[in-house]
Amino acid sequence: MDEDKWEGKASVEVERLTVEQVWCCLEDFCNIHKWFPHLDSCNQVEGEAGHPGLVRCVASTKPSSRFNEGSTSNNSSRWTKEKLLMINPIDKFLSYEVLDNSNRVKFYVATVKLFPVDVD
């Protein structure tokens, strides 16, 4: 049985910051909880910082409608374990996959790439 797969793209323009300034935050794979207030923690589980193979565990007990949609569970604790697949500080991109989680996600791979924005 083939499982449904979804593929998509999203983009956002960040004003008043350079690619290098944004990359400083993004390349630290274990600091995602610092820029998403609904996350409680992000801890390095294994691997070496800044290198493929690094595994992080992200957890939250804070309410977030984004994570509770369609949930039938009374348990508000959510977590995900993610592995850094690629990181390229020259071209400013990284890719990671979800290894395990409490949200019933079976397969997820994401790539984040930064592009400079021309200011007129």
Side-chain angles (χ1 to χ4, degrees), residues 9 15 21 109:
K9 288 185 178 184
E15 296 179 5
Q21 289 170 313
V109 175

Side-chain angles (χ1 to χ4, degrees), residues 1-4 106:
M1 178 175 155
D2 289 337
E3 293 190 35
D4 291 336
K106 293 182 181 175

Side-chain angles (χ1 to χ4, degrees), residues 1 35 46 50 70-71 73 80 83 89 98 116:
M1 178 175 155
W35 19 294
E46 62 185 66
S71 175
S73 172
T80 184
K83 180 178 183 178
V98 170

Side-chain angles (χ1 to χ4, degrees), residues 85-97:
L85 300 174
M86 289 186 287
I87 185 165
N88 186 318
I90 305 292
D91 294 326
K92 308 290 190 275
F93 75 88
L94 62 79
S95 182
Y96 67 94
E97 69 176 326

Side-chain angles (χ1 to χ4, degrees), residues 16-71:
R16 299 186 301 267
L17 293 174
T18 67
V19 168
E20 289 74 22
Q21 289 170 313
V22 175
W23 182 251
C24 286
C25 293
L26 190 61
E27 73 177 333
D28 182 354
F29 193 60
C30 294
N31 81 351
I32 191 170
H33 64 296
K34 294 178 183 175
W35 19 294
F36 288 106
H38 65 275
L39 300 176
D40 292 323
S41 64
C42 180
N43 298 303
Q44 183 174 333
V45 176
E46 62 185 66
E48 186 178 340
H51 295 276
L54 172 68
V55 176
R56 70 182 178 190
C57 185
V58 184
S60 180
T61 56
K62 299 174 185 173
S64 171
S65 60
R66 178 176 158 212
F67 289 111
N68 291 332
E69 289 178 16
S71 175

